[in-house]
Amino acid sequence: MLFTAFLFGLTLYAIYRVVIRAFYTVKPNERAVLTSFGRAQRFGELPVDDPRMTEEERARYRFPRLQVIRPGGPYFKWPWQEVRKVDVATQALDLTWDPTKRQTTIEAVTKDNLTTGVNGQVRFRVSEDNLYPFVFGVADPLEHVMGYFVSVLRERIANFADPKGQRLLAMMPATSEAQGDGAGPDLSEGVSINDLRKNLPLLNEYMEQQCATTGTRYGIELEAALITQIDPPLEVDRALSAINSTRNQVAADISTARADAEQQITMSKRAVDIATNNAQAEVAPLKELAETLVRIKAEGGSAALAAYVRNMRIPLLRRARRIVQTTGNPSQA
């Protein structure tokens, strides 16, 4: 009876192991790798290559191309084979994610030795074309990649300088001498925390460029880096807020003064134009009268000019109340 029970149990285990567990399926968001005695099935010995990596990185990260099992099934495997399934859907993680500790922000030091708190998210997915480093190469690839991303981010924040701010600071002495009133470029362009806050898209773009080869090195492709917040310590933030408020007030006063000055200049120009037009309107009849007299004298001589002058006096004499005649020829009065 014991031997019969042993054979029966062995038969049930063989059926479960060889028949039931021999079939498996792969979900639409998954990719699978089949191993035989621990060795993954691969396409020859041709490694995964990425032209964006340097020669030193290519020599260090040489991973074979694996045979990836696509979604579907049921598929069959032998008892000595094992299936490794990987979720390739896009995922998002906070920058503060760390399986070894709890934290609410990532600390980073700027180039002027200011400790800031950085928050944001990282979107990533497992590289379908390079599953070997994710499954076999790194013990915890997600933790490894997050650590790499945070280290690159801290290095970039420590050396970040706004290109526009650097150009303005370089132009400041010449601009101040040219203006002569001490109104140079905005000095806040050289403050690292302000530069970082104003250039978050530039910082995100840099991080994506630096992490472009993570898919080849660690099997995780970075899709987007969303750094949403960079905060200095509370006392520094208050001081910056006061400085920004004062700067905004000064800028508003300068804008108001410039608007008033431009308005006064515009009104002065209009007054000059009006006076010029009035003078031209008064001069135009005199010029026309002078041209008429010149033509009369040229065509009829002095007698015609004297007759014209006499005829023009008649309306004036009719409206005159008193006529004063000087000594001389009465006909010229």
Side-chain angles (χ1 to χ4, degrees):
M1 293 295 294
L2 293 177
F3 183 73
T4 304
F6 174 75
L7 291 178
F8 182 73
L10 185 60
T11 303
L12 289 179
Y13 176 78
I15 293 174
Y16 172 76
R17 183 70 178 178
V18 177
V19 179
I20 297 177
R21 293 195 60 186
F23 296 95
Y24 63 94
T25 59
V26 180
K27 297 180 181 179
N29 63 317
E30 294 179 339
R31 299 295 184 270
V33 177
L34 191 63
T35 62
S36 298
F37 298 105
R39 179 180 173 84
Q41 297 179 355
R42 58 192 71 184
F43 292 103
E45 298 298 331
L46 184 64
V48 178
D49 188 20
D50 191 344
R52 294 171 296 185
M53 294 196 307
T54 62
E55 294 297 332
E56 188 269 339
E57 291 176 338
R58 292 180 182 178
R60 181 188 303 176
Y61 303 101
R62 290 180 59 87
F63 300 118
R65 294 182 179 273
L66 302 182
Q67 294 183 10
V68 180
I69 301 175
R70 304 294 175 179
Y75 299 103
F76 177 80
K77 70 178 182 67
W78 295 105
W80 57 82
Q81 293 180 328
E82 184 180 356
V83 178
R84 299 286 189 92
K85 296 181 181 180
V86 177
D87 189 357
V88 296
T90 301
Q91 305 178 40
L93 277 180
D94 292 335
L95 289 178
T96 57
W97 180 86
D98 193 336
T100 61
K101 60 181 178 180
R102 294 175 59 88
Q103 55 184 358
T104 58
T105 186
I106 296 295
E107 292 186 353
V109 181
T110 62
K111 66 178 182 179
D112 48 8
N113 296 325
L114 178 65
T115 301
T116 61
V118 184
N119 287 313
Q121 285 187 341
V122 176
R123 289 206 306 264
F124 66 93
R125 65 183 180 88
V126 178
S127 177
E128 184 177 347
D129 298 330
N130 190 25
L131 290 178
Y132 189 92
F134 184 83
V135 180
F136 306 103
V138 184
D140 193 341
L142 187 56
E143 181 181 357
H144 193 91
V145 170
M146 289 299 294
Y148 170 78
F149 181 85
V150 171
S151 63
V152 174
L153 176 62
R154 286 172 173 167
E155 187 273 337
R156 181 56 175 171
I157 290 177
N159 299 285
F160 184 84
D162 184 10
K164 178 181 177 181
Q166 294 297 314
R167 291 195 300 268
L168 289 177
L169 291 176
M171 294 167 52
M172 183 176 62
T175 307
S176 301
E177 293 178 2
Q179 292 179 351
D181 54 358
D186 188 2
L187 293 179
S188 65
E189 299 290 343
V191 181
S192 59
I193 185 64
N194 291 335
D195 293 345
L196 289 169
R197 284 177 168 178
K198 291 185 295 184
N199 294 274
L200 284 181
L202 184 62
L203 184 61
N204 291 330
E205 182 180 356
Y206 174 83
M207 296 305 302
E208 293 178 9
Q209 293 175 356
Q210 292 298 314
C211 298
T213 59
T214 55
T216 306
R217 291 189 286 184
Y218 310 116
I220 296 180
E221 295 181 355
L222 181 69
E223 290 195 350
L226 303 175
I227 301 172
T228 57
Q229 190 175 4
I230 299 180
D231 294 327
L234 182 60
E235 59 275 10
V236 177
D237 195 13
R238 291 177 179 175
L240 289 175
S241 299
I243 292 173
N244 292 333
S245 299
T246 304
R247 184 183 300 111
N248 294 334
Q249 183 63 37
V250 172
D253 295 340
I254 292 176
S255 299
T256 303
R258 287 179 178 176
D260 294 340
E262 291 178 357
Q263 184 178 5
Q264 294 294 333
I265 293 173
T266 303
M267 294 177 62
S268 300
K269 289 182 178 179
R270 292 182 178 179
V272 171
D273 294 339
I274 293 173
T276 302
N277 294 333
N278 292 335
Q280 292 177 353
E282 294 178 358
V283 171
L286 298 177
K287 290 183 177 180
E288 185 177 358
L289 178 60
E291 293 177 356
T292 303
L293 295 176
V294 170
R295 288 196 301 269
I296 292 175
K297 185 176 181 180
E299 295 177 359
S302 300
L305 181 60
Y308 176 80
V309 173
R310 185 180 61 254
N311 293 334
M312 292 299 297
R313 285 180 177 179
I314 293 175
L316 295 176
L317 294 175
R318 290 178 179 177
R319 290 184 296 175
R321 296 181 179 180
R322 180 182 299 175
I323 298 175
V324 178
Q325 182 177 356
T326 60
T327 59
N329 189 1
S331 61
Q332 296 179 355

